[in-house]
Amino acid sequence: MKITEQISNSDKTLFSFEILPPLKGDNIKNLFSHIDPLMEFKPPFIDVTYHREEYVYKKRENGLLERKSTRKRPGTVGICAAIKNRYEVEAVPHIICGGFNKEETENALIDLDFLGIHNVLVLQGDAIKTEPMFVAEEGGHKYASELLGQVKDMNNGIYLDEELQNASPTNFCIGVAGYPEKHYTAPNLKSDLKYLKMKVEMGADYIVTQMFFDNSKFFEFVDKCRAEGVNVPIIPGLKPITTKRQISVLPRFFHIDIPEDLADAIDGAKDNAQAKEIGVEWTIQQSKELMDYGVPVLHYYSMGKSDPVYNIAKELF
């Protein structure tokens, strides 16, 4: 079932979460052990992130450095298939620009279609860690809007090979990202909303937001989206803080603000265990307010750890 259908068929706020593929060499059973407890709350869908290649430098016998490509968290498509088979819920793979050319993207989407995976979240993806800015793959997409256009083309039976006759259309429900505090490359929120509106007009079916810790910024974001004519479902993304260090790490990596009250409380925690308690309680209160506001789904970024999300969900669902 499409995400939009699940939302329209429910008269209450739904629960969902995002997982990371395990590191290369880890057993998928370890991933299942994190998902299993969360199934108590009947998530209609689970997002699975995609991680592009990284480059490492290894010294050769002659003393020169050799650059090698490595993918530390492979398996997104296989994990999605395993989730559908094991839990009978929808799996939503992230489809990213980085690391794919257009033909590789098309082939990946064909694989997903054949597996019965018909929901995707379309993203630009991160830059390679050793590069200051995102660089498109040769023959690939630079922007999420371009990638969205390719998925939409396939939904209309248009493939890269123009000689194909009577090609079968795919049927993907397409999600895109929204940024209540604006994307870090945008000069301002108004500019960012212009491109978000463009993606919706191109065919995006729903929006999932970047994490935020101040609900007023989400409410303002939704109001501005609606004023611009963006009327698709907007799903808030939430992440409980679980360590003291995260109040400095999260703003740097995700370009978000931490409210003063939360930052002061985490900073004053005696250890990470107390910081996690504070972070979980903050997210519970955030979630309650968002449920009262009427959000269609509460989507949690688990970062591979199910216990904080479980402790939140048991209070709400």
Side-chain angles (χ1 to χ4, degrees):
M1 186 180 293
K2 292 183 177 181
I3 304 305
T4 48
E5 293 172 338
Q6 292 170 337
I7 290 171
S8 63
N9 290 342
S10 177
D11 59 0
K12 62 182 181 180
T13 298
L14 301 171
F15 163 77
S16 71
F17 59 95
E18 176 186 288
I19 59 170
L20 307 175
L23 289 168
K24 186 180 290 185
D26 285 355
N27 194 307
I28 197 171
K29 292 180 180 178
N30 295 330
L31 178 61
F32 291 154
S33 70
H34 290 295
I35 298 175
D36 286 348
L38 297 176
M39 298 310 296
E40 175 183 335
F41 310 108
K42 298 179 172 55
F45 64 92
I46 300 169
D47 275 29
V48 185
T49 62
Y50 191 94
H51 294 253
R52 66 175 301 171
E53 78 282 4
E54 298 177 23
Y55 290 101
V56 296
Y57 290 87
K58 295 188 176 181
K59 185 176 286 189
R60 300 168 61 181
E61 291 183 2
N62 60 8
L64 297 176
L65 293 176
E66 179 182 7
R67 190 171 91 150
K68 288 196 170 184
S69 172
T70 181
R71 199 180 300 276
K72 292 184 177 181
R73 293 184 182 271
T76 295
V77 173
I79 290 167
C80 287
I83 286 173
K84 281 183 68 78
N85 179 64
R86 181 179 175 91
Y87 301 108
E88 297 183 347
V89 303
E90 296 298 327
V92 184
H94 291 190
I95 306 297
I96 63 174
C97 298
F100 286 100
N101 61 38
K102 294 174 187 177
E103 185 173 356
E104 290 167 337
T105 295
E106 182 174 273
N107 290 337
L109 290 166
I110 290 170
D111 284 345
L112 292 170
D113 184 52
F114 288 168
L115 288 167
I117 297 167
H118 299 304
N119 296 283
V120 293
L121 186 65
V122 169
L123 306 164
Q124 182 189 54
D126 297 328
I128 294 174
K129 290 182 179 179
T130 53
E131 296 178 349
M133 296 294 290
F134 178 86
V135 177
E137 195 79 7
E138 184 176 352
H141 298 296
K142 184 175 182 180
Y143 299 109
S145 57
E146 297 172 348
L147 178 55
L148 167 63
Q150 183 174 6
V151 181
K152 196 64 181 178
D153 278 348
M154 291 180 67
N155 278 354
N156 291 322
I158 302 170
Y159 289 70
L160 295 175
D161 185 351
E162 297 177 355
E163 295 182 3
L164 287 179
Q165 299 293 320
N166 302 315
S168 295
T170 54
N171 189 30
F172 290 109
C173 177
I174 308 169
V176 294
Y179 298 85
E181 299 175 65
K182 85 172 184 64
H183 190 274
Y184 75 98
T185 61
N188 51 63
L189 184 57
K190 183 177 181 180
S191 173
D192 201 21
L193 287 175
K194 179 180 72 173
Y195 290 104
L196 181 59
K197 181 181 180 181
M198 179 184 73
K199 287 188 280 189
V200 171
E201 290 174 343
M202 290 176 63
D205 297 294
Y206 68 98
I207 297 165
V208 182
T209 76
Q210 172 68 281
M211 69 179 71
F212 58 91
F213 294 90
D214 182 347
N215 283 353
S216 67
K217 293 184 177 180
F218 174 78
F219 299 147
E220 181 182 1
F221 173 74
V222 173
D223 287 344
K224 289 184 175 181
C225 283
R226 301 313 186 210
E228 291 291 329
V230 175
N231 294 314
V232 299
I234 300 176
I235 298 172
L238 301 173
K239 187 217 174 308
I241 288 179
T242 55
T243 68
K244 289 172 67 71
R245 184 170 175 263
Q246 285 177 349
I247 61 170
S248 60
V249 171
L250 293 177
R252 187 167 75 251
F253 280 95
F254 295 99
H255 308 278
I256 54 173
D257 287 339
I258 306 291
E260 290 181 12
D261 290 351
L262 176 58
D264 289 344
I266 296 291
D267 190 50
K270 64 182 180 181
D271 53 26
N272 283 335
Q274 187 176 27
K276 183 190 290 187
E277 291 178 5
I278 294 167
V280 165
E281 181 58 32
W282 183 278
T283 308
I284 289 172
Q285 297 308 316
Q286 260 194 289
S287 300
K288 287 180 176 179
E289 186 178 25
L290 290 164
M291 292 177 84
D292 289 341
Y293 180 76
V295 298
V297 184
L298 287 170
H299 186 67
Y300 296 95
Y301 298 115
S302 72
M303 303 295 191
K305 298 177 181 178
S306 63
D307 59 308
V309 177
Y310 181 89
N311 291 334
I312 294 163
K314 74 178 181 180
E315 294 290 325
L316 304 168
F317 299 95

